[in-house]
Amino acid sequence: MKQIFICPLLLFFALTLAAAPRILLAPDASPYEKFAAEELRRVWEISSGVQLTITSDAIPEKGDIVIGTSTNPRIKQQMKQLGLSTERKHEAAVQEIDGVLHLAGQTPRAAVDAVMLFLRENRLYRQTEAARTFGFTPLFRSSEEFTRA
């Protein structure tokens, strides 16, 4: 029996958007936040064949993805809804607010953690022993691919 994994968020974007979502960063995004955006774009392209645009000069629209910390004005105005607190600096938040996906944390490292959490929860990453050593690898899309590996 062939089993196919479907990412709910990718399916949502595919059904509701004509264009691919954009990844929005603050103009002064840290190297960690830029890494997180690049990693999200890389895995998204492997999983869907669509390359996302990374930008820092756009207003979020429905379907966009915002990555960042409380220094990012787009994140700062959503801190309460994201459940982020200045007391919990290493906490990550993954939440859709008004059609915009927010991947955020109080620190740049927490923002990276939010992206990795999103990718794992949506089955876009598979963690293996090699992945723990060298990074993450894309998930197999079906059990048939898994048995061939």
Side-chain angles (χ1 to χ4, degrees), residues 81-126:
Q81 277 188 280
L82 291 169
L84 292 174
S85 165
T86 55
E87 297 161 4
R88 298 183 306 270
K89 296 228 182 263
H90 302 290
E91 189 171 57
V94 176
Q95 188 167 342
E96 180 269 332
I97 301 170
D98 298 327
V100 176
L101 177 63
H102 293 77
L103 306 175
Q106 282 288 357
T107 64
R109 176 58 203 202
V112 173
D113 291 343
V115 170
M116 299 306 167
L117 178 64
F118 166 75
L119 292 171
R120 281 193 304 262
E121 283 183 352
N122 286 282
R123 299 184 177 265
L124 297 176
Y125 272 170
R126 175 179 56 93

Side-chain angles (χ1 to χ4, degrees), residues 50-107:
V50 175
Q51 188 175 53
L52 305 180
T53 302
I54 299 173
T55 185
S56 61
D57 60 354
I59 297 171
E61 297 175 359
K62 191 173 186 174
D64 285 340
I65 302 168
V66 177
I67 297 174
T69 66
S70 58
T71 60
N72 181 333
R74 297 175 188 113
I75 299 294
K76 190 172 190 163
Q77 60 184 305
Q78 303 292 346
M79 292 293 286
K80 192 168 193 157
Q81 277 188 280
L82 291 169
L84 292 174
S85 165
T86 55
E87 297 161 4
R88 298 183 306 270
K89 296 228 182 263
H90 302 290
E91 189 171 57
V94 176
Q95 188 167 342
E96 180 269 332
I97 301 170
D98 298 327
V100 176
L101 177 63
H102 293 77
L103 306 175
Q106 282 288 357
T107 64

